[in-house]
Amino acid sequence: MNKYVGLIFLTLTSLTFAQTPIQDTLVLSFSEYLGYVKKFHPIAKQAELTIQMGQANLMKARGGFDPKIEVDNERKKFKNLEYFDELNATFKIPTWYGIELKGNFEQNTGEFLNPQAFVPDDGLYSAGISASLGQGLLINKRMADLKKAKFFREQTKADREMLINQILYEASLAYFNWLQTYNEIQIYTQFLENATIRLEGVKSSVVNGDKAAIDSIEAGITVKNRALGLEQSKVKLMKASLELSTFLWLNDDIPVEIQPNVIPDALVEESIDDVLEISGLPLTDFALENHPKLRSLNFKFDGLEVDRRLKANKLLPKIDVQYNFLTETADVARSFNTNQYKGGFNIAFPLFLRKERGDLRLAKVKLEDLQFEIDNATIEIQNKVLAIYRELESFETQNRLIDDIVTDYATMLNAEERKFNFGESSIFLINSREKSLIDSQLKSVELQNKFLKAKATLFNSLSRDLDNL
């Protein structure tokens, strides 16, 4: 059956499902379920926004190097007398190392112009360069913002991986709880059926005089206990289904509710490694430096390092120089004359540099604080992954033991039932054997749930994204 058929059944109304025969069940596989979560869940979509934030921040930083046109026009006219009309148009091109190229056109007229504003009637052209030779030459705010934006973009990619991983991890736990409650219902349903058949047999024996009437009462109590356990399991399944439904969405932000005829994959244990993409991943192949959390912290560290360099650059004196050659013609390239120019410089240097030294010290403290966080996160991740690998090894042993225990209890129950048929046992002993078998099967289901959750925890600790969904 095509996997999208399951999606159609998920979206049908409750009335439609009420009309569907109970045997027409649909298996929602673990892989298909996580595929829906990753594609349609709001948190998964929200994780994609982090990438857009990084791209937008980078575009904003690159805007600091955009060419700019400035036009300044100021005019004064009073009592039919034009005092002045000043036009100044400038085209600027910022470059990487604190250097700015610019071209300018200036045209001024009027009766009361400032003498330094006198220019030829057709205007005055200029082209030149301005640069920072001290503070701002090797790094300035424009350069720092662009570098930090690039690091932030890479950091958002790592953060997105962690967000996607977390929602898939939480969705996996919900699926495993759903599977556990479903298996518990199957166990109680089976043993309720067995107890009901046994009750009818005991009643017949009582009527025939082969059994005491008290045996039918004891067999009836067993039926009621099994029915009680089944009803309690149904409530747990209902809660688990609702919890699972919180992770299921369709396009256009439509939430989906799991219907009664949709069941989990009972063989999920065989495919979980492939679905979570942890198959054949021994501890020796675990590359700590590729972990998204550490990558995110390292990119953040790189951004703070750029900020520290910018603060250190503030300790240098400000030395701004500019040179513009002047010409009356628009053909700037052919009219260059070193004797006609406008230039100057500006020097500023605080005597104590207390603000600058304070900013630099704060930047260093932030770097040191983040380095401690990186060191701690490295040890935490390494030890957590190691512990999970050891836990999974233990679970494999526990699963083998519980399987043997279930088999042994089933053998003892079968033997007790044969003895009962020969009149050599009692309802009490059969019920005792059966209860032990039920408890062991429930323990097996619980242990399977813990094993699957440990697999999901390993996936979460590695912070992997699922590329094949």
Side-chain angles (χ1 to χ4, degrees), residues 104-238:
N104 180 266
F105 173 74
E106 184 178 4
Q107 189 174 41
N108 306 316
T109 59
E111 299 293 333
F112 298 100
L113 279 176
N114 190 319
Q116 69 176 7
F118 289 156
V119 296
D121 293 340
D122 293 333
L124 185 65
Y125 296 90
S126 66
I129 184 173
S130 62
S132 298
L133 301 182
Q135 184 183 131
L137 176 61
L138 297 180
I139 187 170
N140 51 48
K141 190 175 186 307
R142 263 197 320 253
M143 297 163 60
D145 286 345
L146 183 55
K147 288 183 176 181
K148 288 193 291 185
K150 289 180 178 179
F151 290 132
F152 179 71
R153 179 186 60 179
E154 299 304 314
Q155 181 183 344
T156 58
K157 293 180 181 179
D159 291 341
R160 172 198 168 277
E161 290 183 34
M162 288 189 290
L163 285 172
I164 293 290
N165 176 274
Q166 184 64 27
I167 192 63
L168 292 178
Y169 167 69
E170 293 174 2
S172 299
L173 298 187
Y175 187 92
F176 301 148
N177 287 334
W178 182 46
L179 174 63
Q180 180 182 3
T181 55
Y182 174 79
N183 286 334
E184 288 177 357
I185 282 185
Q186 304 311 304
I187 292 172
Y188 279 113
T189 300
Q190 175 190 347
F191 283 99
L192 174 59
E193 182 180 352
N194 294 344
T196 303
I197 295 173
R198 189 182 304 119
L199 174 62
E200 296 301 322
V202 170
K203 285 181 177 180
S204 298
S205 298
V206 170
V207 172
N208 296 330
D210 296 331
K211 298 290 182 185
I214 195 68
D215 287 343
S216 65
I217 296 177
E218 186 171 355
I221 292 174
T222 301
V223 170
K224 293 174 183 177
N225 279 328
R226 302 294 181 262
L228 177 61
L230 177 60
E231 193 62 30
Q232 291 173 340
S233 295
K234 288 181 179 178
V235 174
K236 291 172 62 178
L237 179 63
M238 179 268 294

Side-chain angles (χ1 to χ4, degrees), residues 36-170:
Y36 295 147
V37 175
K38 182 177 179 180
K39 187 173 183 180
F40 298 118
H41 195 279
I43 299 299
K45 292 182 178 181
Q46 186 181 20
E48 298 296 333
L49 294 180
T50 60
I51 301 295
Q52 298 182 28
M53 288 175 58
Q55 296 289 0
N57 197 61
L58 180 59
M59 181 185 295
K60 177 183 175 182
R62 283 174 173 163
F65 294 90
D66 289 345
K68 184 187 299 184
I69 296 177
E70 296 178 359
V71 178
D72 183 19
N73 180 242
E74 189 174 1
R75 174 185 297 182
K76 181 178 179 181
K77 191 173 184 179
F78 183 67
K79 291 184 179 181
N80 296 326
L81 181 63
E82 185 181 70
Y83 279 65
F84 57 83
D85 185 355
E86 299 178 347
L87 173 65
N88 195 311
T90 305
F91 178 67
K92 298 179 179 179
I93 304 177
T95 61
W96 184 250
Y97 287 107
I99 299 173
E100 188 174 74
L101 306 176
K102 64 179 180 177
N104 180 266
F105 173 74
E106 184 178 4
Q107 189 174 41
N108 306 316
T109 59
E111 299 293 333
F112 298 100
L113 279 176
N114 190 319
Q116 69 176 7
F118 289 156
V119 296
D121 293 340
D122 293 333
L124 185 65
Y125 296 90
S126 66
I129 184 173
S130 62
S132 298
L133 301 182
Q135 184 183 131
L137 176 61
L138 297 180
I139 187 170
N140 51 48
K141 190 175 186 307
R142 263 197 320 253
M143 297 163 60
D145 286 345
L146 183 55
K147 288 183 176 181
K148 288 193 291 185
K150 289 180 178 179
F151 290 132
F152 179 71
R153 179 186 60 179
E154 299 304 314
Q155 181 183 344
T156 58
K157 293 180 181 179
D159 291 341
R160 172 198 168 277
E161 290 183 34
M162 288 189 290
L163 285 172
I164 293 290
N165 176 274
Q166 184 64 27
I167 192 63
L168 292 178
Y169 167 69
E170 293 174 2

Side-chain angles (χ1 to χ4, degrees), residues 198 404-420 425-426 429-437 440:
R198 189 182 304 119
D404 292 341
I405 291 173
V406 170
T407 301
D408 292 343
Y409 273 127
T411 301
M412 293 179 67
L413 176 60
N414 292 334
E416 202 66 47
E417 287 178 337
R418 285 196 299 271
K419 290 171 65 178
F420 179 78
S425 183
S426 65
L429 289 176
I430 289 180
N431 289 339
S432 177
R433 300 296 189 195
E434 191 176 64
K435 185 178 184 306
S436 297
L437 178 58
S440 65

